[in-house]
Amino acid sequence: MKTAIYRKSNFCSAHRLYRKEFSDEQNLAIFGKCSSPNYHGHNYTLIVKVVGETDPETGFVIDMKILAQLIKEHVEDKFDHKNLNLDTEYFKTLNPTAENIAKIIYEILRPKIDARFELGIRLYETEKNFVDYPA
Ligand code: NI
């Protein structure tokens, strides 16, 4: 049987959800307060799940220190206290919704974690709103 391990982390980022071809009114109707033209912040909570066989020698699925470092270097350091639309390479043309941020985090981490492990990303944009990628 496989085991799932989880590493939780947090980052605070600004974003704006909008389509540039839409008016401010249309953006407000579709994206609500997240379309506010001057950006706003969220305190994101990220939970990275790794599923695999427990190594009989170490008793670990994956070394949590290594996983924590990967998340810090490749997610937190890129996203924390940044404007996702303006300061990152990922959301110049892609809306930084929770769905898209989770998918980008998956794509960043997937090649850095051995293919024998299953990887899952859960991202909370608020306490009540969160997404899983892949579903
Ligand atoms: Ni928002």
Side-chain angles (χ1 to χ4, degrees):
M1 291 285 253
K2 292 183 175 179
T3 298
I5 67 151
Y6 300 85
R7 172 75 186 184
K8 196 170 174 179
S9 69
N10 298 284
F11 57 90
C12 305
S13 306
H15 79 164
R16 182 188 180 202
L17 304 182
Y18 70 109
R19 293 197 68 89
K20 64 178 183 314
E21 60 271 31
F22 292 172
S23 67
D24 284 354
E25 290 71 28
Q26 286 174 303
N27 278 314
L28 183 63
I30 295 168
F31 298 112
K33 287 195 293 187
C34 279
S35 77
S36 181
N38 292 328
Y39 306 94
H40 61 278
H42 290 283
N43 297 322
Y44 292 95
T45 297
L46 168 66
I47 298 175
V48 175
K49 174 174 82 166
V50 177
V51 180
E53 300 288 347
T54 300
D55 184 313
E57 283 188 344
T58 61
F60 295 157
V61 172
I62 187 173
D63 187 333
M64 202 60 104
K65 291 192 299 297
I66 293 170
L67 182 61
Q69 181 56 34
L70 282 176
I71 295 167
K72 183 188 179 306
E73 189 179 334
H74 300 287
V75 181
E76 290 171 31
D77 289 354
K78 283 186 175 172
F79 293 171
D80 188 42
H81 286 70
K82 299 285 169 58
N83 180 312
L84 296 175
N85 301 77
L86 301 178
D87 300 335
T88 75
E89 66 201 90
Y90 306 104
F91 304 105
K92 300 284 185 206
T93 57
L94 180 68
N95 251 336
T97 57
E99 291 88 332
N100 284 334
I101 300 167
K103 182 166 187 282
I104 290 291
I105 292 171
Y106 178 90
E107 288 168 1
I108 291 170
L109 293 178
R110 180 66 276 186
K112 303 184 186 309
I113 291 170
D114 195 293
R116 71 178 188 276
F117 299 116
E118 184 189 312
L119 177 65
I121 303 299
R122 173 166 286 187
L123 184 71
Y124 287 79
E125 187 172 78
T126 68
E127 258 181 57
K128 291 179 181 169
N129 297 341
F130 60 96
V131 303
D132 280 325
Y133 186 87

